[in-house]
C-alpha cells in the first residue's frame, strides 16, 4: 500500500539557493490597473558579485528611500500623470501587447554572453525620472560606494517563476507617502528525479572519478504562491546571514529598517508576473472615455465654463454654487482640452487653468494640457488671479508647448514665485534635444536656475541612453547656480614596495548640482572613495553619490536621496581608452566664477604595508578674469593672488550662506569617522594622521599643476582616439582642432 501511494519527486543534491539575478519593477495603479513605469535588471555572476542576501536588502532599502523622499515627488507625480494617459492610449497598449522575456541564464554558465548584453543607447525611456531613480537605487550602495551591474529594461519585460536565474523586486509608487515593496524568489538547486520508493532508498554515491552525483538545475518550489516576501522573510527563506556583507557593513540590522514598510499587494504583481498559462500579457481595456455630461446640472456647468472662457475676465464667485461638485475640475479640464488650439492669454483662461489643474499644495500640474502657448501658461502663473493661492511649483510637458525655448525661458523667469519647475517630456518622444535647448535658453536667465529647482527630463533620459545631454564644446553652465565645474582626484596605490598615483577627472556640469546638494554628494563620495581599479561590480556606481545625495546636508547622509541628473559624460564614456588606460571626461579650463575640487587620497605613511588612506582636498578657483587653460597651463605655482584655495565650510559660506555651519562640522566629522572605519577594519589608525583635511595653498597649487599636466595627456589621448577611430570615438569633436 505504501509503495502504491508513492509520489515521484525531485530531490535536491545540494542546499537550495536564492536567485542570482534580479529584475526590479516600479509599478503604479493607473486608471484602476497596476502598470509598470520603470524596469531595471541586475545580472549576477559569482555569488560575491551578485545581489544575494544582505546586498539585496540594502538595495531594497535604498529604492524605498529614493521614492519616499519628498524632494523627488513633484517629478514622479508628473510622470505618473503622463503614464496614466500613455497607458490609456493605443500607443501605450501596443507597447505592452507582446511581453519581453529576460534572457534564460544559468549559474552553471557564468560566461554566457547574454550576461553582458550591450547597453541600449537607442531606445528612449518613456519615464526617465522614475527610471533613473530606480536604476540608482539598484546600482549604488552608498554605505560602501559600490554597486551591482544594472541596466534599464523595456516596460514590457516580464518575470517568469520557472526561470533558474531570476528573482523579482516590485516597488509600488502609487502612494508616495506610503511606498510599498516586495521580493519574489524561489529556491534553485541541482536535483535528481526520484521515480520510486526504491530509488528514494538508494543512497547518493560518488562516480568512478569521485565526483558527487549530479543532476539538472531546477526550481525546487513546486508551489509558488503569488505573494511577495519582506526582506526578513527573504533572508530567512534562503538562510542568509545578516552580517555577511564583506565584513564592512555599517549596520547589521538592515533587514529591520524595512519592517515598517508595507508589502505590495498581489494585484501589483499581475502584469509583470504573468501566470504560467499566459503566453502573452493581456491588458484590460483602459481607454478613458470622456465623463458623461448628461444631467441637467452637468450641462449647465459646462455651459457656464464655456461662457467664461470667452470673457477677458470673470469674478470667481460665479462658480461658487458648482465648485464643490466632485467632478467640477474634470468638467473644466474637458472644456479646456476641447479648445486647446484656441486658448488665449486672458485672465479668464488663467483662472480656469488654475481651477482645473492646481493642487492644494500650490502646484500647477499642466503636463496633460496639450498644444498650449507660453502666453497661456503665463496667464495661469499670474499671481494676481487670486485663485488657489500662490503657485510655487509647476510641471508641464515641453513637447506640448507651442513656443520657442527662448520664449518659455522668458516666461519662467517672470514667474518669480516658482521654487520648483519640472520640464517633462512625452513618453513617445524620439529625441531629448528640446530639453537641452530649453536649458541653454534658461542658462541666460540665471536667476531662474538660481532660485528654483528645475528638472529637465532630457538630462535623465540622455544618461539612461549613455549619451551626452549638453554639447561638450560649449560651456553653457551658469556658475551662479551650479558653481562646481569638476573634480580632479588622485589615488596613491601600492604595488609591492612601490607606490604610484592613479588620476581621475569628474565632470560635474551636466549634473546640475546646487552647492548644498553637491556638498552632501561630495561627502558621501569621499567617505567610500577608492581607486578605480578597486571598484567592485559596477565601475560607474561611485559617481551615483552625486546624483542621489540628500537635497541638503544632514548628519545621516543615507536617510534621504534627492535624484538629480546622472553625470552624463562620465556615465556615457567607455571605461578605458584604446590604449587600455582609464578613460575620463575631457578636463575643462578653469574659468572665472567656477570652482574645481582637488582631492588627494594618500596612503598612511606610518603604517607600511597597509592600504589605509587619508584624504586631503581643497576647492580652488582663479582670481581675476583670465582662465587657466588645460592646453597651456601655468609654468610655475600660482600664488594666493592668482588662485583662491578654501575648504568645504568656506565654500558653502560663499555659495549658499544660509547653511548652518554646525551641520557642516557634524557632516565632516561623520565623514572622517567613516573613512577610518572602512579603511582599517580592526587595525589601529595611524597616530597623528587626520582622515580628512584641507590642503594648504602651496600644496593645492602644486597639485593643480600636476593634474593639469596629466589632463593635457588625457586630452591628447582623446584626440588620438578620434583620429584613429572617428566612427566609434567622437565624444569631443572640439579637441580635433587643438594643437598638441
Amino acid at each position: 500500500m505504501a509503495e502504491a501511494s508513492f509520489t515521484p519527486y525531485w530531490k535536491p543534491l545540494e542546499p537550495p539557493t536564492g536567485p542570482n539575478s534580479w529584475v526590479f519593477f516600479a509599478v503604479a495603479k493607473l486608471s484602476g490597473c497596476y502598470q509598470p513605469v520603470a524596469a531595471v535588471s541586475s545580472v549576477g555572476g559569482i555569488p560575491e558579485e551578485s545581489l544575494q542576501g544582505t546586498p539585496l536588502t540594502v538595495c531594497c532599502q535604498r529604492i524605498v528611500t529614493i521614492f519616499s523622499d519628498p524632494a523627488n515627488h513633484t517629478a514622479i507625480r508628473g510622470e505618473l500623470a503622463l503614464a496614466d494617459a500613455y497607458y490609456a492610449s493605443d500607443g501605450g497598449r501596443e507597447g505592452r501587447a507582446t511581453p519581453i522575456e529576460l534572457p534564460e541564464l544559468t549559474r552553471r554558465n557564468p560566461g554566457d554572453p547574454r550576461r553582458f548584453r550591450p547597453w541600449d543607447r537607442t531606445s528612449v525611456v518613456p519615464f526617465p525620472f522614475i527610471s533613473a531613480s530606480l536604476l540608482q537605487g539598484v546600482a549604488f550602495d552608498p554605505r560602501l560606494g559600490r554597486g551591482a551591474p544594472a541596466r534599464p529594461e523595456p516596460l514590457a519585460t516580464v518575470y517568469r517563476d520557472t526561470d533558474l536565474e531570476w528573482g523579482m523586486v516590485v516597488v509600488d509608487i502609487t502612494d508616495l507617502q506610503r511606498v510599498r515593496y516586495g521580493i519574489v524568489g524561489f529556491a534553485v538547486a541541482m536535483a535528481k528525479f526520484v521515480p520510486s520508493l526504491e530509488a528514494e532508498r538508494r543512497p547518493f554515491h560518488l562516480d568512478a572519478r569521485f565526483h558527487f552525483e549530479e543532476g539538472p538545475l531546477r526550481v525546487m518550489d513546486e508551489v509558488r504562491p503569488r505573494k511577495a516576501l519582506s526582506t526578513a522573510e527573504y533572508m530567512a527563506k534562503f538562510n542568509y546571514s545578516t552580517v555577511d556583507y564583506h565584513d564592512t557593513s555599517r549596520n547589521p540590522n538592515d533587514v529591520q529598517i524595512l519592517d515598517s514598510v508595507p508589502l505590495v499587494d498581489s494585484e501589483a504583481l499581475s502584469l509583470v508576473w504573468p501566470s504560467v498559462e499566459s503566453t502573452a500579457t493581456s491588458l484590460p481595456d483602459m481607454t478613458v472615455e470622456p465623463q458623461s455630461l448628461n444631467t441637467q446640472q452637468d450641462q449647465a456647468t459646462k455651459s457656464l465654463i464655456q461662457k467664461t472662457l470667452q470673457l477677458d475676465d470673470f469674478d470667481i464667485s460665479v462658480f461658487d454654487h458648482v465648485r464643490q461638485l466632485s467632478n467640477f475640475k474634470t468638467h473644466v479640464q474637458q472644456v479646456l482640452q476641447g479648445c486647446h488650439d484656441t486658448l488665449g492669454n486672458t485672465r479668464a483662461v488663467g483662472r480656469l487653468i488654475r481651477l482645473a489643474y492646481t493642487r492644494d499644495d500650490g502646484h500647477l500640474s499642466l503636463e496633460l494640457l496639450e498644444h498650449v502657448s507660453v502666453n497661456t501658461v503665463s496667464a495661469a502663473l499670474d499671481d494676481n488671479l487670486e485663485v488657489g493661492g500662490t503657485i510655487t511649483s509647476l510641471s508641464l510637458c515641453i513637447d506640448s508647448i507651442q513656443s520657442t525655448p527662448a520664449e518659455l525661458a522668458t516666461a519662467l523667469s517672470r514667474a518669480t514665485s516658482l521654487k520648483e519647475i519640472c520640464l517633462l517630456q512625452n513618453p513617445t518622444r524620439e529625441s531629448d534635444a528640446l530639453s537641452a535647448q530649453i536649458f541653454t535658453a534658461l542658462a541666460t536667465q540665471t536667476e531662474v536656475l538660481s532660485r528654483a529647482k528645475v528638472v529637465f527630463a532630457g538630462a535623465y533620459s540622455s544618461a539612461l541612453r549613455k549619451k551626452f545631454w549638453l554639447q561638450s564644446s560649449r560651456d553653457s553652465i551658469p556658475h551662479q547656480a551650479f558653481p562646481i565645474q569638476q573634480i580632479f582626484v588622485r589615488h596613491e596605490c601600492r604595488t609591492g614596495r612601490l607606490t604610484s598615483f592613479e588620476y581621475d577627472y569628474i565632470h560635474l556640469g551636466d549634473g546640475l548640482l546646487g552647492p548644498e546638494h553637491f556638498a552632501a554628494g561630495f561627502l558621501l563620495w569621499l567617505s567610500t572613495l577608492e581607486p578605480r581599479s578597486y571598484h567592485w561590480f559596477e565601475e560607474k556606481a561611485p559617481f551615483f553619490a552625486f546624483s542621489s545625495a540628500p537635497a541638503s546636508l544632514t548628519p545621516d547622509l543615507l536617510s534621504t536621496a534627492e535624484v538629480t541628473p546622472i553625470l552624463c559624460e562620465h556615465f556615457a564614456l567607455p571605461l578605458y581608452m584604446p590604449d587600455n588606460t582609464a578613460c575620463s571626461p575631457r578636463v575643462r579650463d578653469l574659468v572665472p566664477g567656477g570652482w574645481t575640487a582637488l582631492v588627494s587620497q594618500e596612503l598612511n605613511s606610518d603604517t607600511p604595508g597597509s592600504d589605509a588612506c587619508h584624504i586631503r582636498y581643497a576647492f580652488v578657483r582663479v582670481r581675476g578674469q583670465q582662465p587657466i587653460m588645460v592646453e597651456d597651463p601655468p609654468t610655475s605655482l600660482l600664488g594666493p593672488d592668482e588662485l583662491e584655495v578654501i575648504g568645504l565650510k568656506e565654500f558653502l559660506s560663499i555659495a549658499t550662506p544660509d547653511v548652518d555651519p554646525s551641520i557642516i562640522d557634524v557632516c565632516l566629522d561623520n565623514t572622517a569617522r567613516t573613512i577610518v572605519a572602512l579603511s582599517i577594519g580592526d587595525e589601529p589608525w595611524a597616530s597623528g594622521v587626520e582622515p580628512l583635511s584641507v590642503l594648504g595653498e602651496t600644496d593645492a597649487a602644486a597639485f593643480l599643476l600636476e593634474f593639469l599636466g596629466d589632463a593635457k595627456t588625457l586630452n591628447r589621448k582623446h584626440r588620438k582616439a578620434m583620429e584613429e577611430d572617428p566612427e566609434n570615438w567622437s565624444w569631443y569633436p572640439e579637441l580635433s582642432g587643438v594643437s598638441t
Side-chain angles (χ1 to χ4, degrees):
M1 293 294 294
E3 186 77 30
S5 64
F6 179 82
T7 301
Y9 69 99
W10 287 87
K11 185 169 185 176
L13 300 174
E14 60 183 353
T17 59
N20 197 44
S21 298
W22 295 88
V23 59
F24 298 79
F25 294 101
V27 303
K29 200 165 192 176
L30 306 170
S31 297
C33 178
Y34 277 101
Q35 298 281 10
V37 288
V40 169
S41 66
S42 178
V43 178
I46 61 176
E48 291 78 9
E49 296 181 1
S50 305
L51 289 174
Q52 295 184 353
T54 300
L56 182 72
T57 68
V58 173
C59 180
C60 291
Q61 178 191 337
R62 184 66 175 172
I63 294 170
V64 170
T65 297
I66 288 173
F67 284 117
S68 300
D69 194 325
N72 303 321
H73 287 178
T74 300
I76 293 173
R77 289 192 178 103
E79 287 198 336
L80 289 180
L82 291 171
D84 199 12
Y86 170 77
Y87 278 118
S89 68
D90 291 339
R93 289 176 56 78
E94 291 173 2
R96 280 194 58 83
T98 303
I100 296 177
E101 305 290 343
L102 293 162
E104 294 184 11
L105 304 174
T106 170
R107 61 199 70 184
R108 284 184 171 176
N109 186 8
D112 190 328
R114 291 174 298 178
R115 291 186 183 273
F116 314 100
R117 291 173 292 161
W119 195 279
D120 184 354
R121 295 174 179 260
T122 304
S123 303
V124 173
V125 177
F127 312 109
F129 187 90
I130 295 175
S131 295
S133 300
L134 182 62
L135 178 77
Q136 294 185 81
V138 174
F140 179 53
D141 176 1
R143 305 172 321 149
L144 302 177
R146 301 167 178 169
R151 52 170 285 152
E153 298 289 350
L155 294 183
T157 300
V158 295
Y159 163 75
R160 304 288 185 184
D161 56 29
T162 55
D163 199 293
L164 298 174
E165 177 81 12
W166 296 92
M168 174 177 69
V169 174
V170 176
V171 182
D172 178 4
I173 59 172
T174 306
D175 181 358
L176 294 174
Q177 305 300 326
R178 190 173 170 78
V179 174
R180 298 170 177 265
Y181 84 104
I183 302 171
V184 175
F186 299 102
V188 173
M190 185 170 59
K192 177 182 178 181
F193 185 66
V194 181
S196 65
L197 187 61
E198 179 183 358
E200 183 181 48
R201 292 168 177 164
R202 190 181 307 133
F204 294 146
H205 61 276
L206 301 175
D207 62 19
R209 293 174 297 174
F210 299 98
H211 291 164
F212 282 104
E213 192 170 3
E214 294 186 354
L217 287 174
R218 279 187 56 84
V219 177
M220 301 307 298
D221 295 287
E222 297 295 342
V223 178
R224 299 161 203 158
R226 302 180 66 80
K227 178 180 179 298
L229 303 173
S230 67
T231 51
E233 291 169 331
Y234 160 74
M235 295 289 283
K237 177 175 181 177
F238 298 109
N239 296 314
Y240 289 124
S241 168
T242 58
V243 193
D244 64 350
Y245 200 12
H246 315 303
D247 298 323
T248 54
S249 175
R250 299 183 202 172
N251 187 353
N253 301 314
D254 291 299
V255 174
Q256 300 176 9
I257 295 175
L258 288 172
D259 281 350
S260 61
V261 179
L263 294 180
V264 296
D265 297 329
S266 297
E267 182 187 358
L269 311 175
S270 56
L271 275 182
V272 297
W273 180 12
S275 61
V276 175
E277 298 79 13
S278 174
T279 57
T281 302
S282 58
L283 294 178
D285 184 1
M286 293 179 57
T287 303
V288 179
E289 298 293 339
Q291 189 167 342
S292 174
L293 296 174
N294 292 329
T295 69
Q296 186 174 1
Q297 185 180 52
D298 288 336
Q299 292 175 355
T301 301
K302 179 180 178 181
S303 176
L304 179 59
I305 296 169
Q306 290 172 330
K307 287 179 181 179
T308 56
L309 191 59
Q310 307 306 316
L311 303 174
D312 288 333
D313 198 3
F314 62 88
D315 191 321
I316 196 68
S317 63
V318 301
F319 290 123
D320 283 350
H321 63 293
V322 293
R323 286 182 70 182
Q324 303 307 315
L325 297 176
S326 61
N327 56 3
F328 174 70
K329 281 194 172 185
T330 301
H331 290 327
V332 182
Q333 291 172 6
Q334 290 178 2
V335 171
L336 291 172
Q337 289 284 6
C339 57
H340 55 72
D341 289 332
T342 59
L343 289 178
N345 60 342
T346 64
R347 290 171 64 84
V349 170
R351 290 185 193 275
L352 286 173
I353 290 176
R354 283 204 179 199
L355 284 171
Y357 296 105
T358 302
R359 296 200 309 247
D360 293 339
D361 59 357
H363 177 75
L364 186 59
S365 182
L366 299 183
E367 52 275 306
L368 297 182
L369 188 59
E370 299 180 346
H371 309 299
V372 294
S373 71
V374 161
N375 290 336
T376 300
V377 175
S378 294
L381 291 173
D382 186 351
D383 283 336
N384 297 317
L385 292 177
E386 300 174 357
V387 178
T390 300
I391 301 298
T392 57
S393 60
L394 167 72
S395 58
L396 51 82
C397 179
I398 59 176
D399 302 295
S400 296
I401 303 299
Q402 295 182 322
S403 301
T404 67
E407 290 170 338
L408 178 59
T410 299
L412 294 176
S413 69
R414 293 171 179 166
T416 56
S417 64
L418 291 178
K419 303 303 180 187
E420 185 173 10
I421 304 168
C422 291
L423 303 178
L424 308 177
Q425 292 198 256
N426 193 310
T428 60
R429 71 197 179 282
E430 297 180 354
S431 169
D432 300 316
L434 179 58
S435 185
Q437 292 166 9
I438 293 174
F439 172 79
T440 301
L442 274 173
T444 65
Q445 310 276 354
T446 55
E447 68 277 6
V448 180
L449 297 173
S450 297
R451 74 161 184 266
K453 170 187 172 182
V454 185
V455 173
F456 298 89
Y460 301 86
S461 178
S462 293
L464 293 172
R465 292 190 294 144
K466 290 196 173 182
K467 291 184 177 294
F468 286 12
W469 179 53
L470 302 174
Q471 293 184 27
S472 62
S473 60
R474 299 177 59 184
D475 184 16
S476 59
I477 309 298
H479 300 303
Q480 300 94 320
F482 313 115
I484 297 290
Q485 283 184 270
Q486 54 201 343
I487 300 175
F488 298 169
V489 56
R490 67 176 198 169
H491 309 270
E492 188 176 16
C493 303
R494 190 188 310 278
T495 305
R497 295 183 178 182
L498 302 177
T499 64
S500 60
F501 283 99
E502 293 181 5
Y503 297 88
D504 203 357
Y505 304 92
I506 306 172
H507 175 63
L508 298 175
D510 51 15
L512 308 184
L513 298 171
E516 192 171 1
H517 181 101
F518 161 78
F522 182 66
L523 293 178
L524 197 59
W525 173 72
L526 284 182
S527 67
T528 58
L529 184 61
E530 290 180 326
R532 183 182 292 203
S533 58
Y534 291 13
H535 290 175
W536 283 52
F537 314 161
E538 173 54 66
E539 291 86 347
K540 304 282 187 175
F543 305 105
F544 290 148
F546 296 100
S547 51
S548 60
S552 57
L553 287 174
T554 173
D556 183 3
L557 294 176
L558 308 183
S559 61
T560 62
E562 178 188 34
V563 173
T564 53
I566 294 170
L567 305 181
C568 278
E569 284 194 27
H570 222 288
F571 200 51
L573 288 171
L575 292 173
Y576 300 102
M577 304 289 289
D579 64 357
N580 289 324
T581 57
C583 180
S584 294
R586 176 177 73 84
V587 178
R588 272 55 170 187
D589 298 333
L590 280 66
V591 299
W595 292 89
T596 294
L598 308 180
V599 175
S600 181
Q601 185 179 45
E602 303 166 9
L603 292 165
N604 293 351
S605 58
D606 290 348
T607 52
S610 170
D611 288 331
C613 293
H614 61 278
I615 294 173
R616 296 192 291 160
Y617 78 96
F619 295 93
V620 301
R621 69 174 173 180
V622 296
R623 297 186 186 273
Q625 297 303 310
Q626 292 298 317
I628 297 176
M629 311 296 288
V630 174
E631 294 296 330
D632 186 20
T635 57
S636 59
L637 294 185
L638 299 176
D641 57 335
E642 300 169 292
L643 187 71
E644 187 173 2
V645 180
I646 57 176
L648 179 65
K649 195 170 183 179
E650 294 75 20
F651 163 74
L652 288 173
S653 70
I654 295 171
T656 176
D658 294 336
V659 178
D660 184 352
S662 64
I663 290 294
I664 304 173
D665 289 334
V666 170
C667 291
L668 286 169
D669 289 343
N670 289 346
T671 301
R673 281 196 291 270
T674 302
I675 291 171
V676 172
L678 293 182
S679 292
I680 63 173
D682 296 329
E683 299 176 16
W685 181 258
S687 60
V689 177
E690 291 187 65
L692 182 64
S693 60
V694 179
L695 288 165
E697 291 181 344
T698 302
D699 282 346
F703 289 176
L704 178 59
L705 285 186
E706 181 182 327
F707 281 121
L708 290 173
D710 183 77
K712 188 174 181 179
T713 301
L714 173 66
N715 285 358
R716 186 165 58 246
K717 290 181 179 181
H718 276 296
R719 191 179 305 114
K720 181 180 179 182
M722 288 188 294
E723 292 170 353
E724 296 178 351
D725 188 7
E727 183 177 348
N728 297 313
W729 204 281
S730 56
W731 303 104
Y732 298 108
E734 64 273 15
L735 287 177
S736 59
V738 179
S739 60
T740 57

